[in-house]
PDB file of all heavy atoms in Angstrom:
ATOM      1  N   LEU I  77       4.109  47.657 -30.892  1.00  0.00           N
ATOM      2  CA  LEU I  77       3.422  48.130 -32.077  1.00  0.00           C
ATOM      3  C   LEU I  77       2.960  46.990 -32.976  1.00  0.00           C
ATOM      4  O   LEU I  77       1.880  47.027 -33.553  1.00  0.00           O
ATOM      5  CB  LEU I  77       4.347  49.057 -32.856  1.00  0.00           C
ATOM      6  CG  LEU I  77       3.637  49.764 -33.981  1.00  0.00           C
ATOM      7  CD1 LEU I  77       2.923  50.978 -33.440  1.00  0.00           C
ATOM      8  CD2 LEU I  77       4.617  50.160 -35.049  1.00  0.00           C
ATOM      9  N   VAL I 115       1.073  39.806 -39.137  1.00  0.00           N
ATOM     10  CA  VAL I 115       1.331  41.193 -39.539  1.00  0.00           C
ATOM     11  C   VAL I 115       2.190  41.213 -40.803  1.00  0.00           C
ATOM     12  O   VAL I 115       1.914  41.941 -41.757  1.00  0.00           O
ATOM     13  CB  VAL I 115       2.035  41.964 -38.399  1.00  0.00           C
ATOM     14  CG1 VAL I 115       2.537  43.311 -38.892  1.00  0.00           C
ATOM     15  CG2 VAL I 115       1.093  42.163 -37.232  1.00  0.00           C
ATOM     16  N   ILE I 118       0.217  40.251 -43.907  1.00  0.00           N
ATOM     17  CA  ILE I 118      -0.711  41.294 -44.333  1.00  0.00           C
ATOM     18  C   ILE I 118       0.047  42.421 -45.030  1.00  0.00           C
ATOM     19  O   ILE I 118      -0.384  42.960 -46.046  1.00  0.00           O
ATOM     20  CB  ILE I 118      -1.492  41.861 -43.121  1.00  0.00           C
ATOM     21  CG1 ILE I 118      -2.403  40.780 -42.531  1.00  0.00           C
ATOM     22  CG2 ILE I 118      -2.321  43.076 -43.524  1.00  0.00           C
ATOM     23  CD1 ILE I 118      -3.023  41.159 -41.202  1.00  0.00           C
ATOM     24  N   ALA I 119       1.223  42.757 -44.485  1.00  0.00           N
ATOM     25  CA  ALA I 119       1.908  43.959 -44.958  1.00  0.00           C
ATOM     26  C   ALA I 119       2.799  43.710 -46.173  1.00  0.00           C
ATOM     27  O   ALA I 119       3.075  44.621 -46.935  1.00  0.00           O
ATOM     28  CB  ALA I 119       2.735  44.552 -43.822  1.00  0.00           C
ATOM     29  N   PRO I 126       6.628  47.631 -47.026  1.00  0.00           N
ATOM     30  CA  PRO I 126       6.494  49.086 -46.937  1.00  0.00           C
ATOM     31  C   PRO I 126       6.176  49.481 -45.489  1.00  0.00           C
ATOM     32  O   PRO I 126       5.329  48.866 -44.843  1.00  0.00           O
ATOM     33  CB  PRO I 126       5.299  49.390 -47.839  1.00  0.00           C
ATOM     34  CG  PRO I 126       5.063  48.153 -48.627  1.00  0.00           C
ATOM     35  CD  PRO I 126       5.588  47.016 -47.839  1.00  0.00           C
ATOM     36  N   THR I 127       6.875  50.489 -45.007  1.00  0.00           N
ATOM     37  CA  THR I 127       6.761  50.882 -43.596  1.00  0.00           C
ATOM     38  C   THR I 127       5.324  51.162 -43.175  1.00  0.00           C
ATOM     39  O   THR I 127       4.870  50.692 -42.137  1.00  0.00           O
ATOM     40  CB  THR I 127       7.613  52.133 -43.346  1.00  0.00           C
ATOM     41  OG1 THR I 127       8.945  51.814 -43.693  1.00  0.00           O
ATOM     42  CG2 THR I 127       7.570  52.536 -41.895  1.00  0.00           C
ATOM     43  N   GLU I 128       4.603  51.922 -44.041  1.00  0.00           N
ATOM     44  CA  GLU I 128       3.249  52.318 -43.654  1.00  0.00           C
ATOM     45  C   GLU I 128       2.354  51.101 -43.491  1.00  0.00           C
ATOM     46  O   GLU I 128       1.593  50.998 -42.523  1.00  0.00           O
ATOM     47  CB  GLU I 128       2.634  53.259 -44.696  1.00  0.00           C
ATOM     48  CG  GLU I 128       3.374  54.563 -44.897  1.00  0.00           C
ATOM     49  CD  GLU I 128       4.631  54.408 -45.746  1.00  0.00           C
ATOM     50  OE1 GLU I 128       4.757  53.358 -46.425  1.00  0.00           O
ATOM     51  OE2 GLU I 128       5.485  55.303 -45.716  1.00  0.00           O
ATOM     52  N   ASP I 129       2.457  50.153 -44.440  1.00  0.00           N
ATOM     53  CA  ASP I 129       1.618  48.959 -44.375  1.00  0.00           C
ATOM     54  C   ASP I 129       1.917  48.154 -43.123  1.00  0.00           C
ATOM     55  O   ASP I 129       1.026  47.631 -42.461  1.00  0.00           O
ATOM     56  CB  ASP I 129       1.846  48.081 -45.616  1.00  0.00           C
ATOM     57  CG  ASP I 129       1.314  48.752 -46.866  1.00  0.00           C
ATOM     58  OD1 ASP I 129       0.942  49.934 -46.761  1.00  0.00           O
ATOM     59  OD2 ASP I 129       1.279  48.105 -47.923  1.00  0.00           O
ATOM     60  N   LEU I 130       3.210  48.074 -42.798  1.00  0.00           N
ATOM     61  CA  LEU I 130       3.611  47.300 -41.637  1.00  0.00           C
ATOM     62  C   LEU I 130       3.040  47.930 -40.362  1.00  0.00           C
ATOM     63  O   LEU I 130       2.501  47.241 -39.491  1.00  0.00           O
ATOM     64  CB  LEU I 130       5.135  47.253 -41.563  1.00  0.00           C
ATOM     65  CG  LEU I 130       5.732  46.136 -40.727  1.00  0.00           C
ATOM     66  CD1 LEU I 130       5.299  44.784 -41.259  1.00  0.00           C
ATOM     67  CD2 LEU I 130       7.237  46.229 -40.715  1.00  0.00           C
ATOM     68  N   LEU I 131       3.145  49.250 -40.287  1.00  0.00           N
ATOM     69  CA  LEU I 131       2.618  49.955 -39.116  1.00  0.00           C
ATOM     70  C   LEU I 131       1.121  49.737 -38.968  1.00  0.00           C
ATOM     71  O   LEU I 131       0.624  49.402 -37.890  1.00  0.00           O
ATOM     72  CB  LEU I 131       2.892  51.459 -39.253  1.00  0.00           C
ATOM     73  CG  LEU I 131       4.195  51.971 -38.664  1.00  0.00           C
ATOM     74  CD1 LEU I 131       4.399  53.421 -39.035  1.00  0.00           C
ATOM     75  CD2 LEU I 131       4.204  51.794 -37.164  1.00  0.00           C
ATOM     76  N   LEU I 132       0.399  49.904 -40.112  1.00  0.00           N
ATOM     77  CA  LEU I 132      -1.054  49.762 -40.062  1.00  0.00           C
ATOM     78  C   LEU I 132      -1.457  48.343 -39.695  1.00  0.00           C
ATOM     79  O   LEU I 132      -2.334  48.124 -38.851  1.00  0.00           O
ATOM     80  CB  LEU I 132      -1.669  50.157 -41.407  1.00  0.00           C
ATOM     81  CG  LEU I 132      -1.697  51.660 -41.660  1.00  0.00           C
ATOM     82  CD1 LEU I 132      -2.175  51.953 -43.071  1.00  0.00           C
ATOM     83  CD2 LEU I 132      -2.588  52.349 -40.639  1.00  0.00           C
ATOM     84  N   ALA I 133      -0.787  47.375 -40.307  1.00  0.00           N
ATOM     85  CA  ALA I 133      -1.103  45.981 -39.999  1.00  0.00           C
ATOM     86  C   ALA I 133      -0.833  45.704 -38.527  1.00  0.00           C
ATOM     87  O   ALA I 133      -1.604  45.023 -37.852  1.00  0.00           O
ATOM     88  CB  ALA I 133      -0.274  45.048 -40.877  1.00  0.00           C
ATOM     89  N   GLY I 134       0.269  46.258 -38.036  1.00  0.00           N
ATOM     90  CA  GLY I 134       0.607  46.065 -36.620  1.00  0.00           C
ATOM     91  C   GLY I 134      -0.455  46.630 -35.708  1.00  0.00           C
ATOM     92  O   GLY I 134      -0.912  45.969 -34.773  1.00  0.00           O
ATOM     93  N   VAL I 135      -0.897  47.833 -36.006  1.00  0.00           N
ATOM     94  CA  VAL I 135      -1.926  48.470 -35.180  1.00  0.00           C
ATOM     95  C   VAL I 135      -3.207  47.639 -35.199  1.00  0.00           C
ATOM     96  O   VAL I 135      -3.826  47.387 -34.159  1.00  0.00           O
ATOM     97  CB  VAL I 135      -2.199  49.908 -35.670  1.00  0.00           C
ATOM     98  CG1 VAL I 135      -3.452  50.465 -35.013  1.00  0.00           C
ATOM     99  CG2 VAL I 135      -1.001  50.793 -35.373  1.00  0.00           C
ATOM    100  N   ALA I 136      -3.592  47.179 -36.409  1.00  0.00           N
ATOM    101  CA  ALA I 136      -4.837  46.425 -36.534  1.00  0.00           C
ATOM    102  C   ALA I 136      -4.760  45.108 -35.765  1.00  0.00           C
ATOM    103  O   ALA I 136      -5.676  44.763 -35.001  1.00  0.00           O
ATOM    104  CB  ALA I 136      -5.135  46.158 -38.007  1.00  0.00           C
ATOM    105  N   ILE I 137      -3.667  44.368 -35.946  1.00  0.00           N
ATOM    106  CA  ILE I 137      -3.542  43.079 -35.265  1.00  0.00           C
ATOM    107  C   ILE I 137      -3.460  43.281 -33.758  1.00  0.00           C
ATOM    108  O   ILE I 137      -4.041  42.518 -32.977  1.00  0.00           O
ATOM    109  CB  ILE I 137      -2.300  42.318 -35.780  1.00  0.00           C
ATOM    110  CG1 ILE I 137      -2.508  41.904 -37.236  1.00  0.00           C
ATOM    111  CG2 ILE I 137      -2.010  41.094 -34.930  1.00  0.00           C
ATOM    112  CD1 ILE I 137      -3.707  41.031 -37.472  1.00  0.00           C
ATOM    113  N   ASN I 138      -2.765  44.318 -33.352  1.00  0.00           N
ATOM    114  CA  ASN I 138      -2.663  44.629 -31.921  1.00  0.00           C
ATOM    115  C   ASN I 138      -4.049  44.873 -31.322  1.00  0.00           C
ATOM    116  O   ASN I 138      -4.393  44.330 -30.269  1.00  0.00           O
ATOM    117  CB  ASN I 138      -1.779  45.864 -31.731  1.00  0.00           C
ATOM    118  CG  ASN I 138      -1.196  45.916 -30.332  1.00  0.00           C
ATOM    119  OD1 ASN I 138      -1.430  45.024 -29.522  1.00  0.00           O
ATOM    120  ND2 ASN I 138      -0.460  46.956 -30.047  1.00  0.00           N
TER     121      ASN I 138
END
Side-chain angles (χ1 to χ4, degrees):
Chain I
L77 189 83
V115 169
I118 294 170
T127 301
E128 299 78 16
D129 292 9
L130 200 59
L131 269 173
L132 285 174
V135 168
I137 292 301
N138 202 1

